[in-house]
Amino acid sequence: MQDYKKLLRSRTNRTICGVCGGLGEYIGVDPTVIRVIWLIASICSVGTGFVVYLLASIIIPEE
């Protein structure tokens, strides 16, 4: 059987729903960096990033 990583929302490293914490754990980057990038992208895209975050929090399962 092959081991693989699964993208999950973090229970321990969360600010709102754990999406950025889970993404940071999945790719091996500090979740704070993910949060800052997500915030900048959300501001530059006139709020589209917030909608994507909401969808991700619904779609990505919690660990």
Side-chain angles (χ1 to χ4, degrees):
M1 192 189 311
Q2 189 175 18
D3 291 331
Y4 61 94
K5 295 193 307 186
K6 189 173 180 183
L7 178 59
L8 301 170
R9 289 186 294 134
S10 178
R11 283 189 184 184
T12 57
N13 194 357
R14 63 173 30 184
T15 301
I16 299 174
C17 293
V19 174
C20 293
L23 188 60
E25 292 170 4
Y26 182 76
I27 61 176
V29 177
D30 184 19
T32 305
V33 174
I34 302 292
R35 289 181 185 108
V36 170
I37 291 170
W38 203 300
L39 178 65
I40 292 169
S42 295
I43 292 170
C44 292
S45 66
V46 193
T48 305
F50 295 117
V51 174
V52 172
Y53 187 90
L54 180 64
L55 290 173
S57 67
I58 293 169
I59 294 171
I60 300 172
E62 192 171 26
E63 64 180 2

